[in-house]
């Protein structure tokens, strides 16, 4: 019984960086040992969000909002990618859809926060919860949760220091303050909205397969943005506007489905699996651009990562079936 309380947390601790860095193709299989470097921030953040949500009765709406806060924290105050043009080898953010006064690209903000919200946090949580019995219960006691919080803070702080030293860049006080205020507002909003209960809506939900295909289609369209909107005059603002249309429509539809009484954990897992498969194919495109890694090794590594991801999704569904009363 004790083991069932901590093994899902350990699984999530390592699954979050696996999906966020390796399945996406940002890291080659030859650097798989670096998962221990990424885990304190990625995994620590995912476990903290999941545990806080289940301890305080937050639903998936609360988890998603906390995931947005995490994404902004990682790419803002921690590694400062959102503020540092040199991070992406760009001379400047000129020509990009810029948020006035913050020297911040709106499209870059949309992209990075979307990646972390969906894939770094929500998809790993959904997969591990499907594998673990009693998904609504906290996995860790207070001591364990405190330990994870310390690991997350220390790991994130060290990463932030290394990034600042490596890039010789520190964001402006205004950028730090504004991003910190937004993160705090998001956390408060997660606890306000996440604890609200709604009367289940009438009506049927599409089969889990349809929900999963919908998740795959929406997230794949997101990844095909550069094909849909090639570089050109005004393309950044068109892309930014399209992001609101795509995810605004998708969110409204999924929320309406999820509020229906016929929504089940199978639908949640299917949605997460659809997004997971998008990362599996997108990872091959990223792997082709890895510096210092030959193309055969890069593609072979992502083949292994994709097979692991698919195997995990299959195992999660098997576990879900075995836990469902007949």
């Amino acid at each position: 019984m004790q083991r069932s309380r901590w093994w899902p947390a350990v699984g999530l601790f390592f699954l979050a960086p696996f999906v966020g860095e390796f399945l996406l193709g940002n890291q080659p299989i030859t650097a798989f040992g670096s998962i221990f470097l990424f885990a304190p921030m990625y995994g620590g953040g995912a476990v903290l969000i999941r545990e806080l949500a289940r301890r305080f009765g937050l639903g998936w709406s609360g988890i998603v909002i906390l995931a947005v806060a995490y994404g902004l924290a990682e790419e803002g105050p921690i590694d400062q990618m959102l503020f540092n043009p040199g991070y992406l080898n760009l001379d400047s953010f000129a020509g990009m859809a810029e948020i006035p006064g913050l020297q911040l690209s709106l499209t870059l903000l949309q992209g990075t926060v979307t990646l972390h919200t969906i894939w770094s946090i929500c998809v790993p949580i959904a997969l591990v919860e499907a594998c673990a019995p009693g998904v609504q219960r906290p996995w860790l006691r207070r001591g364990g949760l405190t330990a994870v919080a310390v690991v997350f803070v220390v790991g994130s702080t060290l990463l932030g220091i290394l990034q600042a030293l490596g890039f010789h860049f520190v964001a402006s006080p205004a950028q730090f303050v504004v991003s910190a205020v937004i993160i705090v507002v998001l956390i408060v909003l997660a606890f306000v909205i996440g604890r609200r209960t709604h009367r289940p809506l009438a009506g049927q939900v599409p089969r889990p397969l349809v929900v999963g295909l919908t998740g795959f289609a929406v997230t794949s369209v997101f990844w095909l943005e550069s094909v849909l909107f090639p570089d050109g005059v005004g393309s950044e603002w068109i892309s930014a506007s399209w992001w609101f249309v795509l995810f605004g429509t998708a969110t409204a539809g999924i929320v309406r489905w999820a509020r229906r009484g016929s929504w089940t954990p199978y639908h949640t897992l299917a949605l997460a699996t659809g997004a997971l498969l998008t990362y599996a194919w997108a990872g091959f495109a990223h792997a082709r651009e890895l510096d210092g890694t030959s193309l055969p090794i890069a593609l072979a590594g992502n083949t292994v990562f994709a097979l692991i991801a698919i195997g995990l999704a299959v195992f999660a569904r098997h576990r879900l079936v075995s836990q469902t009363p007949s």
Side-chain angles (χ1 to χ4, degrees), residues 4-225:
S4 67
R5 293 180 60 88
W6 61 263
W7 75 258
V10 174
L12 180 56
F13 188 77
F14 289 105
L15 180 60
F18 171 78
V19 174
E21 289 289 335
F22 295 92
L23 183 61
L24 180 57
N26 285 345
Q27 301 293 328
I29 195 169
T30 51
F32 193 72
S34 62
I35 194 170
F36 294 99
L37 300 177
F38 292 114
M41 182 178 63
Y42 278 95
V47 172
L48 281 176
I49 288 173
R50 191 271 171 193
E51 289 297 285
L52 290 174
R54 297 316 180 197
R55 279 175 179 270
F56 290 95
L58 309 185
W60 269 101
S61 58
I63 291 176
V64 171
I65 297 173
L66 288 174
V68 174
Y70 168 86
L72 181 57
E74 177 178 332
E75 304 298 4
I78 296 176
D79 69 17
Q80 304 181 67
M81 187 192 76
L82 290 174
F83 310 127
N84 181 9
Y87 196 103
L88 297 177
N89 296 318
L90 299 174
D91 293 332
S92 70
F93 288 133
M96 304 183 80
E98 184 177 321
I99 299 176
L102 290 177
Q103 294 80 49
L104 173 64
S105 163
L106 177 58
T107 50
L108 183 60
L109 174 65
Q110 289 172 330
T112 55
V113 171
T114 299
L115 263 59
H116 290 304
T117 299
I118 296 176
W119 287 282
S120 298
I121 303 297
C122 292
V123 166
I125 289 176
L127 287 169
V128 177
E129 284 201 335
C131 294
V135 297
Q136 301 302 319
R137 296 182 308 162
W139 292 329
L140 301 175
R141 294 189 173 94
R142 185 174 300 177
L145 184 60
T146 301
V148 172
V150 171
V151 168
F152 172 71
V153 171
V154 172
S156 298
T157 301
L158 290 176
L159 176 62
I161 293 172
L162 290 174
Q163 294 289 74
L165 293 175
F167 286 102
H168 305 288
F169 176 88
V170 177
S172 70
Q175 290 171 326
F176 276 118
V177 171
V178 171
S179 58
V181 169
I182 295 174
I183 290 166
V184 171
V185 170
L186 286 170
I187 293 172
V188 173
L189 194 63
F191 279 83
V192 172
I193 294 178
R195 301 185 73 171
R196 290 180 179 176
T197 57
H198 301 276
R199 180 179 300 176
L201 298 176
Q204 292 298 311
V205 179
R207 291 182 303 164
L209 177 61
V210 175
V211 172
L213 290 175
T214 300
F216 177 75
V218 170
T219 52
S220 292
V221 169
F222 165 74
W223 273 101
L224 292 172
E225 174 193 3

